Amino acid sequence: MNFEVCAANIQSALAAQRAGAHRIELCSALDVGGLTPSRGLIRATVKALEIPVHVLIRPREGDFCYSDLELEIMLDDIGLCVEAGAAGVVVGALTEDGRLDLPKLRTMEAAAMGLEMTYHRAFDFTLDSAEALEQLVESGFGRVLSSGQSDCAFNGRFLLQKLLEQANGRITVMPGAGINAQNIRAIAEFTGAKNFHFTGKMKVLASGGRNIPGLESWHWESEEEAIREIIEACLPPP
């Protein structure tokens, strides 16, 4: 089994490593599905962690149809990841008709200069998941993150099972979205998946509990014990 934790700050990344995660996806802004983290966070996390750091490349919230200017932003961010020593990048781009934007993906793959490539949950917005999976295999992607085109991986387990059968080891299909200690074993047993993506997050209140008008008084952090509980729930008993 292989466990990837989605970490939105340095505290979460360190908690994931202590809890036994195999890899992190570093991002920011979990409430909008994740955005590219800051330059400083990327550098600090790569320096602090011993496990691989894969960086989410997503310049804005909303859909995954990107302009040429947005592509330039993503290419610059990918270049930073190469420079900083990240192990991989997590990307995605779609055309307006719901298919993979292959020209943009090829450009991003070239910019990654051999870093591991994961296709993120833009996959769940494709009109033809079987076609998209084959195109990712042909493009050299090592991994695709998916909820099975549902609101969570448990509800999408039927499509995830089909995708894993289709992949047949040529690409890693990694269930993600809503995975917790109560459902991870059921997802694993039904789909046959051996790679999982989750946050194990909790709300952390601001120091002193002060409320500032117009700003949230809390933030998300991945909790070490919650991550460990999810991992242990999926592993076979000793």
Side-chain angles (χ1 to χ4, degrees), residues 14-26:
L14 291 168
Q17 179 168 267
R18 291 193 302 268
H22 298 92
R23 179 180 60 252
I24 69 160
E25 180 199 271
L26 188 66

PDB file of all heavy atoms in Angstrom, residues 14-26:
ATOM      1  N   LEU A  14       4.952  17.915   7.611  1.00  0.00           N
ATOM      2  CA  LEU A  14       5.740  17.254   8.649  1.00  0.00           C
ATOM      3  C   LEU A  14       4.912  16.205   9.381  1.00  0.00           C
ATOM      4  O   LEU A  14       5.413  15.122   9.709  1.00  0.00           O
ATOM      5  CB  LEU A  14       6.285  18.292   9.628  1.00  0.00           C
ATOM      6  CG  LEU A  14       7.371  19.218   9.053  1.00  0.00           C
ATOM      7  CD1 LEU A  14       7.626  20.392   9.999  1.00  0.00           C
ATOM      8  CD2 LEU A  14       8.653  18.443   8.796  1.00  0.00           C
ATOM      9  N   ALA A  15       3.640  16.507   9.632  1.00  0.00           N
ATOM     10  CA  ALA A  15       2.756  15.542  10.289  1.00  0.00           C
ATOM     11  C   ALA A  15       2.594  14.293   9.421  1.00  0.00           C
ATOM     12  O   ALA A  15       2.592  13.164   9.927  1.00  0.00           O
ATOM     13  CB  ALA A  15       1.398  16.176  10.572  1.00  0.00           C
ATOM     14  N   ALA A  16       2.472  14.482   8.109  1.00  0.00           N
ATOM     15  CA  ALA A  16       2.328  13.351   7.194  1.00  0.00           C
ATOM     16  C   ALA A  16       3.556  12.459   7.237  1.00  0.00           C
ATOM     17  O   ALA A  16       3.453  11.225   7.276  1.00  0.00           O
ATOM     18  CB  ALA A  16       2.087  13.857   5.773  1.00  0.00           C
ATOM     19  N   GLN A  17       4.721  13.058   7.251  1.00  0.00           N
ATOM     20  CA  GLN A  17       5.953  12.274   7.302  1.00  0.00           C
ATOM     21  C   GLN A  17       6.049  11.488   8.602  1.00  0.00           C
ATOM     22  O   GLN A  17       6.381  10.296   8.593  1.00  0.00           O
ATOM     23  CB  GLN A  17       7.162  13.197   7.148  1.00  0.00           C
ATOM     24  CG  GLN A  17       8.495  12.464   7.214  1.00  0.00           C
ATOM     25  CD  GLN A  17       9.648  13.344   6.765  1.00  0.00           C
ATOM     26  OE1 GLN A  17      10.027  13.335   5.617  1.00  0.00           O
ATOM     27  NE2 GLN A  17      10.208  14.102   7.698  1.00  0.00           N
ATOM     28  N   ARG A  18       5.736  12.137   9.715  1.00  0.00           N
ATOM     29  CA  ARG A  18       5.807  11.441  11.006  1.00  0.00           C
ATOM     30  C   ARG A  18       4.816  10.287  11.080  1.00  0.00           C
ATOM     31  O   ARG A  18       5.080   9.269  11.715  1.00  0.00           O
ATOM     32  CB  ARG A  18       5.535  12.426  12.150  1.00  0.00           C
ATOM     33  CG  ARG A  18       6.617  13.469  12.372  1.00  0.00           C
ATOM     34  CD  ARG A  18       6.409  14.190  13.703  1.00  0.00           C
ATOM     35  NE  ARG A  18       5.119  14.843  13.795  1.00  0.00           N
ATOM     36  CZ  ARG A  18       4.875  16.113  13.453  1.00  0.00           C
ATOM     37  NH1 ARG A  18       5.869  16.871  12.975  1.00  0.00           N
ATOM     38  NH2 ARG A  18       3.671  16.632  13.576  1.00  0.00           N
ATOM     39  N   ALA A  19       3.670  10.452  10.418  1.00  0.00           N
ATOM     40  CA  ALA A  19       2.611   9.435  10.497  1.00  0.00           C
ATOM     41  C   ALA A  19       2.850   8.246   9.579  1.00  0.00           C
ATOM     42  O   ALA A  19       2.127   7.259   9.653  1.00  0.00           O
ATOM     43  CB  ALA A  19       1.267  10.070  10.170  1.00  0.00           C
ATOM     44  N   GLY A  20       3.837   8.346   8.693  1.00  0.00           N
ATOM     45  CA  GLY A  20       4.144   7.208   7.834  1.00  0.00           C
ATOM     46  C   GLY A  20       3.680   7.324   6.401  1.00  0.00           C
ATOM     47  O   GLY A  20       3.672   6.324   5.671  1.00  0.00           O
ATOM     48  N   ALA A  21       3.303   8.535   5.961  1.00  0.00           N
ATOM     49  CA  ALA A  21       2.934   8.714   4.558  1.00  0.00           C
ATOM     50  C   ALA A  21       4.144   8.465   3.665  1.00  0.00           C
ATOM     51  O   ALA A  21       5.287   8.677   4.074  1.00  0.00           O
ATOM     52  CB  ALA A  21       2.399  10.131   4.334  1.00  0.00           C
ATOM     53  N   HIS A  22       3.886   8.033   2.463  1.00  0.00           N
ATOM     54  CA  HIS A  22       4.963   7.739   1.519  1.00  0.00           C
ATOM     55  C   HIS A  22       5.319   8.936   0.647  1.00  0.00           C
ATOM     56  O   HIS A  22       6.399   8.978   0.052  1.00  0.00           O
ATOM     57  CB  HIS A  22       4.563   6.565   0.617  1.00  0.00           C
ATOM     58  CG  HIS A  22       4.323   5.309   1.367  1.00  0.00           C
ATOM     59  ND1 HIS A  22       3.074   4.939   1.832  1.00  0.00           N
ATOM     60  CD2 HIS A  22       5.174   4.326   1.758  1.00  0.00           C
ATOM     61  CE1 HIS A  22       3.170   3.774   2.462  1.00  0.00           C
ATOM     62  NE2 HIS A  22       4.426   3.391   2.437  1.00  0.00           N
ATOM     63  N   ARG A  23       4.393   9.905   0.562  1.00  0.00           N
ATOM     64  CA  ARG A  23       4.583  11.027  -0.350  1.00  0.00           C
ATOM     65  C   ARG A  23       3.577  12.094   0.039  1.00  0.00           C
ATOM     66  O   ARG A  23       2.533  11.795   0.617  1.00  0.00           O
ATOM     67  CB  ARG A  23       4.324  10.561  -1.794  1.00  0.00           C
ATOM     68  CG  ARG A  23       4.443  11.611  -2.883  1.00  0.00           C
ATOM     69  CD  ARG A  23       4.151  11.015  -4.255  1.00  0.00           C
ATOM     70  NE  ARG A  23       2.808  10.465  -4.345  1.00  0.00           N
ATOM     71  CZ  ARG A  23       2.539   9.160  -4.396  1.00  0.00           C
ATOM     72  NH1 ARG A  23       3.511   8.265  -4.366  1.00  0.00           N
ATOM     73  NH2 ARG A  23       1.294   8.731  -4.461  1.00  0.00           N
ATOM     74  N   ILE A  24       3.879  13.356  -0.276  1.00  0.00           N
ATOM     75  CA  ILE A  24       2.864  14.390  -0.088  1.00  0.00           C
ATOM     76  C   ILE A  24       2.583  15.089  -1.415  1.00  0.00           C
ATOM     77  O   ILE A  24       3.439  15.162  -2.298  1.00  0.00           O
ATOM     78  CB  ILE A  24       3.243  15.433   0.981  1.00  0.00           C
ATOM     79  CG1 ILE A  24       4.406  16.299   0.513  1.00  0.00           C
ATOM     80  CG2 ILE A  24       3.529  14.788   2.317  1.00  0.00           C
ATOM     81  CD1 ILE A  24       4.501  17.596   1.284  1.00  0.00           C
ATOM     82  N   GLU A  25       1.363  15.552  -1.537  1.00  0.00           N
ATOM     83  CA  GLU A  25       1.024  16.515  -2.584  1.00  0.00           C
ATOM     84  C   GLU A  25       0.932  17.863  -1.891  1.00  0.00           C
ATOM     85  O   GLU A  25       0.080  18.073  -1.028  1.00  0.00           O
ATOM     86  CB  GLU A  25      -0.303  16.184  -3.261  1.00  0.00           C
ATOM     87  CG  GLU A  25      -0.671  17.186  -4.357  1.00  0.00           C
ATOM     88  CD  GLU A  25      -2.129  17.183  -4.719  1.00  0.00           C
ATOM     89  OE1 GLU A  25      -2.517  16.411  -5.598  1.00  0.00           O
ATOM     90  OE2 GLU A  25      -2.896  17.963  -4.093  1.00  0.00           O
ATOM     91  N   LEU A  26       1.826  18.758  -2.227  1.00  0.00           N
ATOM     92  CA  LEU A  26       1.878  20.076  -1.601  1.00  0.00           C
ATOM     93  C   LEU A  26       1.013  21.045  -2.390  1.00  0.00           C
ATOM     94  O   LEU A  26       1.134  21.155  -3.616  1.00  0.00           O
ATOM     95  CB  LEU A  26       3.324  20.570  -1.556  1.00  0.00           C
ATOM     96  CG  LEU A  26       3.576  21.853  -0.767  1.00  0.00           C
ATOM     97  CD1 LEU A  26       3.306  21.635   0.723  1.00  0.00           C
ATOM     98  CD2 LEU A  26       5.005  22.347  -0.994  1.00  0.00           C
TER      99      LEU A  26
END
